[in-house]
Amino acid sequence: MIRKAEKRDIPTIIELLHQVNMVHHVLRPDLFKPNTTKYDEQELEAMLKNDRKPIFVFDNDAVLGYAFCMVTEVKDDKLLQDIKTLYIDDICVDEKARGQHVGKALYEYVRDYAQSVGCNNVTLNVWDGNDAALSFYRKMGMRVQKTTMEIVL
């Protein structure tokens, strides 16, 4: 049910990217434009060829969700320990498939993948106000690593 994304998945991924964008736009219209996507078809096609940025999809006769990932490494840094991290850049479950454990399956797959490629941890960002996502990630065992603060002027 979960596999690496393929070129044929791009149209559905674009639709899901629109859903994610609108969640963020509703939360923070001062930051996110409506009716757009983080990536376009050409960018997605290039990403599909990049092993350091795997995209996984949940496919049950139709793509019901995705997880965009980035594997990063810190080595020989003056301050930081050597560490290999899998960053979840974006994760989405089709709004029509929510409550069917698609997100849990994607998250667990990504976590297992990260472990299989030697990562020390999995990280991601959650926007303040996205309470459903925050609750979900806490249920998956994640905890706050750092907090970004702002003041809107």
Side-chain angles (χ1 to χ4, degrees):
M1 284 186 143
I2 298 176
R3 60 174 173 76
K4 278 198 168 181
E6 301 169 1
K7 188 175 178 178
R8 66 185 167 102
D9 301 318
I10 289 175
T12 304
I13 291 171
I14 292 288
E15 290 176 28
L16 295 175
L17 282 165
H18 275 286
Q19 290 182 24
V20 168
N21 169 255
M22 289 310 294
V23 167
H24 292 125
H25 170 70
V26 168
L27 282 173
R28 291 297 304 263
D30 58 321
L31 297 177
F32 291 94
K33 297 175 182 178
N35 307 313
T36 189
T37 60
K38 187 174 188 174
Y39 305 110
D40 63 25
E41 288 90 353
Q42 294 77 24
E43 290 168 320
L44 288 172
E45 199 167 331
M47 290 171 75
L48 293 176
K49 300 172 188 167
N50 185 343
D51 290 336
R52 303 286 291 178
K53 294 184 176 185
I55 303 169
F56 301 105
V57 293
F58 184 103
D59 185 351
N60 189 16
D61 295 325
V63 172
L64 301 178
Y66 67 67
F68 284 73
C69 304
M70 292 183 197
V71 177
T72 61
E73 284 189 77
V74 173
K75 284 192 180 229
D76 302 320
D77 187 86
K78 188 178 193 179
L79 178 65
L80 300 174
Q81 297 285 352
D82 289 357
I83 191 167
K84 187 174 183 180
T85 297
L86 186 138
Y87 172 69
I88 299 176
D89 177 44
D90 205 11
I91 192 166
C92 178
V93 174
D94 190 323
E95 52 198 20
K96 294 175 283 216
R98 301 217 175 121
Q100 299 176 27
H101 306 290
V102 172
K104 183 176 190 281
L106 277 166
Y107 176 83
E108 290 174 349
Y109 186 91
V110 167
R111 185 196 59 213
D112 293 346
Y113 173 82
Q115 193 169 26
S116 78
V117 297
C119 291
N120 298 71
N121 59 347
V122 174
T123 64
L124 53 81
N125 293 322
V126 179
W127 285 93
D128 188 46
N130 194 348
D131 298 334
L134 186 58
S135 174
F136 170 76
Y137 294 124
R138 283 192 173 135
K139 285 179 188 170
M140 295 298 103
M142 297 191 89
R143 61 175 205 229
V144 174
Q145 180 189 50
K146 63 182 175 181
T147 302
T148 300
M149 306 288 290
E150 77 171 338
I151 185 167
V152 177
L153 305 174

